[in-house]
Structure formats: structure tokens, C-alpha cells
Amino acid sequence: MSNSHIHTTLALLAQLTRWALVTIFLAAALPKIFAPADFALSIANYKIVPHILINIIALTLPWLELVVAILLVCRFWAPAVFFLANTMLLIFLAALVSAYFRGLDIDCGCFSTAVTLTPNMQWYMIRDVFFLALGLGAACLDKHDPLA
Amino acid sequence: MKKITTHSLHITIILALSVGLALVFNMLRPDPLPMVYAQESQVQLDAQSGEISLKDATLLFVSQRAIFLDARDNYFYNQEHIQGAFSIPPDYFDYEFPKISDQLTDKILITYCDGELCQLSHELAEMLKGQGLDNVYILVNGWGLWKNENLPTTSGSTP
């Protein structure tokens, strides 16, 4: 494989992972922006955050996700945006793992605020590991992005 | 070092922008979310049975979230009744209800009479539901339980 082929492949991968991240953050942000009370309940179910912070997080986190998604589209302030995106994904994963080991069987509140009758914590965790890998991959590949 | 400072500044701006957008959007919502999360009420209201326990009724009495409605005869009401309760014996419902109906909306209504087998509170609850009021609960043997615990009462023809 020639250098130009490698370069093209890496550029393509950089764009693909960045757009995948945009899709994830948009899909996560929009339903929660319009149902903050339900999202607050999802956060409360994790029993991690003090009560005084639950509503503030429920209000601001979806907007942070949306702002990060928009900045990823424009590839504006990329290092800061990738750092925030991956920090959020890491915190979400840590919260899920913590809930799982405390025996909580809850809705993850990741993409929807609707109540699921049979939440699958293991699936949520596997999915979040994949998202985090995607986020880290996107950050590492960013220098190959044609927009960089 | 300069890079780290620049990135930190960008992160701070993004966080501030997100918080600002969230607060403005929340203010513009028809039903803004309060800043502090309210825990679920400890009061257990069983809509199916339509009955309420004395503990829950007392909690609602203290927090002034409920209106008590005395279904007993006027004579007993005048002698002594739960503090703040209105008198509506089912036989005088059509006469008494219009006088207080304005005060009953958006409140939890608790009907009571005296004795385990007393049906007046049940009759009154049905009549209130017939007027389109949903939040109606019966404190079975309410007067007896209330007196037994020395909870606040008053006498006379007014609440």
C-alpha cells in the first residue's frame, strides 16, 4: 500500500469517526433538551449526583452535548472539543459501571428519556466502550482530517 | 504550556456557552425546570382504593396540601371537627358544595366521618368525583383516628 493510499484511508477514517461522534452526540442531546424533567429522573436513578446538582446537570449536559456536536461538525477548537467529548463518554461509562456494580438496573438515559421495562446494563456498557473507542480514535486520527 | 492554556480557555468558553444556552432555553420553556431537584413525595396516595392513611393525611394537613371535608351531620361538626375542615354532609351537598367549590380545585381532598363502617365519607367522595374532582381520598374512620392522636381540632360552624 502506497503512502498516498494510507494517507487517504486515514483521512477517510478521521472524517468517518468524527461524523459518527457528531451523530452520537446529536442523538443524545436532542431528546434530553426537550424533556429535562425526565432526564433529571434518569440522573437521579444513578444515585451518584447530590440532589442539589441533578436539575442543573439535566439542563446543561444536553446543551454541552449539542455544542460539542456542532463544533465537531465545523471542526472548530478541535483539541478542546475532542477532550470534552471523550471526557463525557468516559464519565458516562464510569457512571454505568458504577451503577452496574451497585446492582442498579436502570435506564441509562443515554439517547432517550423514556422508561425501558427491561434495561440491559451490560449492553449499555459495551455500547459506551465502543463509543469511547470511537471518540479516542477520532481524536487520534484528527491530524489526518482534510479539514485539519 | 501556551497550548494547554489555549485549550483550557476554549473548554471554559464551551462550558460557559452550554450553561448559558441551557439557562436561557429553560427560562423560555412554558414549564421551566426548577434549579433544585425535588424528591418524590413520601405521601402515598392509592388512587385505586381511594383511601388515605392517617399518617399521610396528617402530613398533607401540616403541609397544607389538602382540604378536609367533614361528611358528618352539622350538629357533630359544630361540636368539634378537624381544624380547617369544611362541613359537607352528603344530604346538603347541593347546597354546600357551590359555596366552597372554588377552593377545592388543585388541592387534595380528604373526606372523613366517624366510625369504621360510616359510609358518609364514601358518599361524599363519590359526589365530589361526580363534580369532576379527581384528587379525592377517604380517611376511613377519620374523626376517631384524628381525635385518638390528639391532632388539631376546632369547634363551631366555621372551618
Side-chain angles (χ1 to χ4, degrees), chain B residues 63-80:
Chain B
S63 58
Q64 298 182 343
R65 280 179 286 167
I67 290 182
F68 287 73
L69 300 168
D70 193 322
R72 299 173 303 159
D73 188 82
N74 271 330
Y75 172 79
F76 296 110
Y77 176 86
N78 292 344
Q79 274 191 332
E80 200 176 7

Side-chain angles (χ1 to χ4, degrees), chain B residues 1-153:
Chain B
M1 189 67 191
K2 196 186 166 196
K3 259 188 180 178
I4 293 173
T5 315
T6 312
H7 295 336
S8 304
L9 181 68
H10 292 166
I11 289 168
T12 311
I13 293 171
I14 293 168
L15 289 173
L17 178 70
S18 305
V19 172
L21 282 169
L23 295 181
V24 170
F25 188 76
N26 190 46
M27 271 183 354
L28 297 175
R29 286 173 60 88
D31 54 342
L33 192 70
M35 282 298 117
V36 178
Y37 182 75
Q39 285 192 66
E40 223 172 291
S41 173
Q42 294 299 306
V43 176
Q44 302 207 338
L45 295 171
D46 186 351
Q48 208 165 16
S49 75
E51 293 178 4
I52 189 168
S53 71
L54 179 66
K55 277 184 185 173
D56 289 337
T58 309
L59 205 56
L60 293 176
F61 173 83
V62 173
S63 58
Q64 298 182 343
R65 280 179 286 167
I67 290 182
F68 287 73
L69 300 168
D70 193 322
R72 299 173 303 159
D73 188 82
N74 271 330
Y75 172 79
F76 296 110
Y77 176 86
N78 292 344
Q79 274 191 332
E80 200 176 7
H81 55 263
I82 292 177
Q83 201 177 79
F86 289 101
S87 172
I88 314 190
D91 285 349
Y92 298 97
F93 185 84
D94 293 338
Y95 177 70
E96 297 289 352
F97 179 73
K99 289 191 210 168
I100 58 164
S101 58
D102 289 350
Q103 299 174 60
L104 304 184
T105 47
D106 301 329
K107 286 274 188 179
I108 296 168
L109 307 178
I110 300 175
T111 66
Y112 71 90
C113 54
D114 192 9
E116 286 285 348
L117 301 175
C118 173
Q119 287 300 306
L120 293 171
S121 54
H122 292 79
E123 285 174 36
L124 178 58
E126 285 307 314
M127 288 170 159
L128 290 164
K129 283 176 187 168
Q131 296 294 323
L133 297 164
D134 296 326
N135 263 344
V136 186
Y137 296 89
I138 303 155
L139 180 60
V140 176
N141 191 20
W143 179 243
L145 295 173
W146 199 266
K147 276 293 282 177
N148 194 43
E149 299 297 334
N150 281 326
L151 289 162
T153 62

Side-chain angles (χ1 to χ4, degrees), chain A residues 14-27 64-89 131 134-142 145 147-148, chain B residues 14:
Chain A
Q15 287 198 69
L16 276 175
T17 49
R18 183 164 58 84
W19 278 102
L21 217 51
V22 169
T23 311
I24 290 166
F25 277 100
L26 276 182
L64 181 60
E65 290 173 333
L66 183 66
V67 170
V68 162
I70 292 168
L71 292 175
L72 277 171
V73 172
C74 327
R75 224 204 136 274
F76 192 65
W77 290 349
V81 174
F82 278 117
F83 174 80
L84 279 171
N86 282 307
T87 306
M88 276 193 276
L89 290 170
F131 289 162
L134 197 71
L136 292 171
C140 294
L141 289 165
D142 183 54
D145 198 308
L147 287 182
Chain B
I14 293 168

